[in-house]
Amino acid sequence: MGSGKTVLLLGSRGGLGRAIGARLTADGWTVVGVDLPELDLSLREVVAPAVARLQQEHGGFDALVHAAGLYPAAPVANGDEELFDRVLTVNTRSAFAAGAQFVRGCVAAGRPGAMVFVSSGAAARARKGTAVYAASKAALDALVRAFALEHGRDGIRCNAVSPGFVDVGSAVNPVPRSYVEAVEEASVSGRLGRPEEIAAAVAWLLSEDASWVNGRSVPVDGGDGIGSVGGPSWLG
């Protein structure tokens, strides 16, 4: 439980962000939520200063959750470098900047801390049209390992959750209904994920129950990372 502890939640107004904020609040955390328009994660030089300012205003944080992200669809051969830069900036660079500043604040104050980044099963599983998104999440997983390795002895843990597909009806990341239905049809569990299920995993990773979990990206995908029931079979 997070009684008496404060968490900085980036992406607090998104579908997953709202669920995470609600769950952590119910668990006793004081949640400081930040999202557009007060913080634009696509602006490269603003994230670390914003986190530093919030640390000062709130007397530091016990945890950081990065739940913001872009989910575009584009053929890899389009070679849209502007899209690549924008997605990597929001999904990965902002997590790197926020995480680094969170760590600096914890180390300076001599306090432990925990971070959770929202990654994706796409980091390890190819799907047509998701090359840029997948690259951003694979890089995010690498950052998780780096933060854990370099600062575990400072009492700071860093992990990620890797959700399967969760339909949050996002206006920022709209997904065609036909795609949503196809993913659900192919799902191992026969349904899509729910935001509160991802939030529960985040809450666990921040809790003392997960104190021996560090540098990991935890799948929360109903089994979809193991394969698809819609693939070819010789069972007839």
Side-chain angles (χ1 to χ4, degrees), residues 73-126:
V76 67
N78 273 14
D80 189 336
E81 295 180 27
E82 183 177 341
L83 176 67
F84 186 90
D85 288 345
R86 184 163 63 92
V87 173
L88 268 289
T89 296
V90 173
N91 292 7
T92 313
R93 194 181 195 274
S94 69
F96 170 68
Q101 179 56 43
F102 174 78
V103 167
R104 289 192 291 269
C106 287
V107 170
R111 69 192 294 175
M115 294 187 285
V116 176
F117 299 155
V118 176
S119 185
S120 170
R125 184 179 182 183

Side-chain angles (χ1 to χ4, degrees), residues 143-165:
L143 286 178
V144 165
R145 295 188 291 271
F147 276 124
L149 183 68
E150 295 188 25
H151 292 285
R153 293 197 176 188
D154 293 318
I156 298 169
R157 295 186 300 113
C158 185
N159 292 289
V161 290
S162 293
F165 189 83

Side-chain angles (χ1 to χ4, degrees), residues 39-55:
L39 179 59
D40 186 346
L41 299 180
S42 70
L43 301 177
R44 293 190 166 214
E45 306 304 328
V46 305
V47 177
V51 173
R53 174 179 55 79
L54 290 166
Q55 284 173 314

